[in-house]
Amino acid sequence: SGGIDWWDVVKLLLEINVAYCIIFVVFVCLTVIAALNIITGVFVNEGLAMARMDHDLRYQADLRESRAMAARLHNLFQTIVKHSHQSISMEEMKRALQREDVSTLFSVLGIEITDAAAFFDLLDQDHSGFVEIDEFVVVCLRLRGRSGMMNMEISIQEISGHTKKIVSLLRSSFEAMERVERRLTKLYKLHQATPMTQLAQETESGVSDVNSELSCFD
């Protein structure tokens, strides 16, 4: 660097004491390491800044792509809708999917539809029998380019529907069984405290009630 040679300094320190020479060497090593750390830190910071910038650019690109896709789905929805209610019925969806232009648009968007009814049920999130534009756009955005995911979503929806029906049936069955148990308990108490003539009448009435409750299990 144009300055004094380090060996000249070391020779002077050796004449004084070896310990000073060792301290000087350690000082030089630490200085070099510190300089390397500073240089490395500069490069790392630059790399992180570039990575953040790349992430932001990728996020903006994904956002622009999603907005463009939403606009295309909005136009596709308007292509399918044939009335002023701004919603699609099952029959309209089936007729629309038979049209070549609509099926081509779905294919371009990466949505492969094999079952129109199942696809409509998947779009109809609130089970109203009609698909609103928000439902259409959100579900299609979730399914775009993932044809296997649509089959999975349909299967999950079917399983969820069957589960709800089973739970409802079990709840109704348990309620009916509780009513039967209460009536049988009432008949038993009447048997303990009621004369035979009145008991026969009460028993006949109670048995008919129990039979009516049990009929729900048929």
Side-chain angles (χ1 to χ4, degrees):
S1 63
I4 188 172
D5 190 87
W6 286 1
W7 176 242
D8 295 336
V9 177
V10 171
K11 285 192 298 183
L12 293 174
L13 293 174
L14 284 173
E15 293 177 359
I16 300 173
N17 195 312
V18 177
Y20 291 111
C21 179
I22 295 173
I23 293 173
F24 177 74
V25 172
V26 172
F27 169 75
V28 171
C29 292
L30 291 176
T31 303
V32 172
I33 293 173
L36 291 175
N37 283 336
I38 292 173
I39 295 172
T40 303
V42 170
F43 280 105
V44 169
N45 287 334
E46 289 294 329
L48 291 175
M50 292 296 295
R52 283 194 296 269
M53 185 181 299
D54 183 64
H55 179 270
D56 293 339
L57 291 174
R58 188 165 57 250
Y59 172 76
Q60 292 176 4
D62 291 341
L63 185 60
R64 286 195 298 269
E65 183 181 356
S66 296
R67 288 177 177 173
M69 178 66 71
R72 296 171 71 179
L73 288 170
H74 187 277
N75 294 333
L76 177 57
F77 183 88
Q78 297 299 329
T79 302
I80 298 174
V81 170
K82 293 298 184 182
H83 48 75
S84 60
H85 296 297
Q86 294 299 305
S87 59
I88 304 174
S89 65
M90 172 76 80
E91 294 302 322
E92 285 178 327
M93 178 63 72
K94 289 181 178 179
R95 287 196 300 269
L97 292 176
Q98 292 174 355
R99 292 163 46 188
E100 185 176 354
D101 58 336
V102 174
S103 59
T104 301
L105 286 173
F106 274 114
S107 298
V108 170
L109 295 174
I111 302 174
E112 299 295 334
I113 302 171
T114 56
D115 189 338
F119 179 63
F120 181 86
D121 291 336
L122 190 60
L123 293 175
D124 187 14
Q125 296 289 297
D126 57 0
H127 306 290
S128 63
F130 293 92
V131 175
E132 307 292 336
I133 187 168
D134 293 338
E135 296 173 323
F136 182 81
V137 172
V138 169
V139 175
C140 288
L141 282 176
R142 191 170 71 239
L143 297 177
R144 62 177 178 141
R146 303 160 72 182
S147 57
M149 180 62 70
M150 184 170 69
N151 296 330
M152 185 182 297
E153 291 273 357
I154 292 173
S155 299
I156 291 174
Q157 190 176 48
E158 290 178 351
I159 292 172
S160 177
H162 292 321
T163 302
K164 290 180 180 178
K165 290 180 181 178
I166 292 173
V167 170
S168 177
L169 179 60
L170 288 175
R171 185 180 294 111
S172 300
S173 300
F174 284 132
E175 291 175 354
M177 290 175 65
E178 289 177 356
R179 289 195 296 269
V180 169
E181 183 180 2
R182 286 196 298 268
R183 285 189 169 86
L184 290 175
T185 303
K186 181 180 178 181
L187 288 175
Y188 176 76
K189 291 180 179 179
L190 287 173
H191 177 73
Q192 298 293 327
T194 307
M196 293 302 297
T197 304
Q198 185 177 355
L199 176 62
Q201 296 175 352
E202 294 289 345
T203 302
E204 183 179 356
S205 175
V207 169
S208 63
D209 291 339
V210 170
N211 289 333
S212 64
E213 293 292 343
L214 292 175
S215 63
C216 68
F217 297 101
D218 295 338

